[in-house]
Amino acid sequence: MNREEIKKIIRNVPDFPNEGIMFKDLTTVFVRHDCLEWLDNELYEYYKDKGITKIIGIESRGFIMAPALALRLGAGFVPIRKKGKLPAKCREITYTKEYGKDTIQIHEDALNKDDVVLVHDDLLATGGTMAAAVKLVKQFGVKKIYANFIAELDFLKGREKFDEDIEVHSLIHY
Ligand code: AMP
């Protein structure tokens, strides 16, 4: 398995969820053990020496690889979810999307200032979601924040939404 093969296996679904969007469907990768193993190894090799203590998955496609990687790295897993889903006291942030606004939340006792945090999502498009997640994590005063994606749509320039202190890495580029 390699990058180019994974790219071929990712399914393109035109006009989902809205007309004009070419949706990158990663379920065709997740369904195959050889692909999962490749993803897990690539992520592990890239992040193994960075001292990561917590991996955050962004609801919901970020929940697929984040816990697997947390196990490999000896780190904890923390969910960031849409407002109203987490049961205990939360910090939250509201951000503007293409159509309207969205609010995401994290438990207020999930992180502390000694944490080195990797925030993971499946795909970087405009970067609005991850930029909001990173802002939320910054409120905890953690030591360092990494942002990771399986795939990145380079032409949308989502990467430009992040300050220089955030290290952004994607396995596959379009
Ligand atoms: P954004 O905030 O624009 O970077 O959007 C990121 C979120 O929307 C990610 O959680 C992705 O799962 C999803 N997303 C946006 N555009 C696409 C796309 N073309 N294909 C697959 N997922 C997408």
Side-chain angles (χ1 to χ4, degrees), residues 56-62 80-82 93-98 101-105 119-137 147-149 158-159 161-162:
I56 295 179
I58 299 184
E59 184 177 359
S60 57
R61 286 179 285 265
I80 280 188
R81 301 201 64 183
K82 310 253 162 65
I93 189 165
T94 299
Y95 64 102
T96 309
K97 303 210 302 181
E98 205 176 341
K101 289 181 175 206
D102 222 341
T103 301
I104 51 174
Q105 295 184 320
V119 193
H120 168 82
D121 203 357
D122 68 331
L123 184 129
L124 174 60
T126 65
T129 313
M130 182 59 89
V134 164
K135 260 194 197 162
L136 191 54
V137 172
N148 169 262
F149 307 89
R159 196 172 265 269
K161 287 210 170 68
F162 301 98

Side-chain angles (χ1 to χ4, degrees), residues 55-73:
I55 304 191
I56 295 179
I58 299 184
E59 184 177 359
S60 57
R61 286 179 285 265
F63 291 176
I64 297 165
M65 290 310 295
L69 184 60
L71 273 169
R72 282 288 293 281
L73 290 174

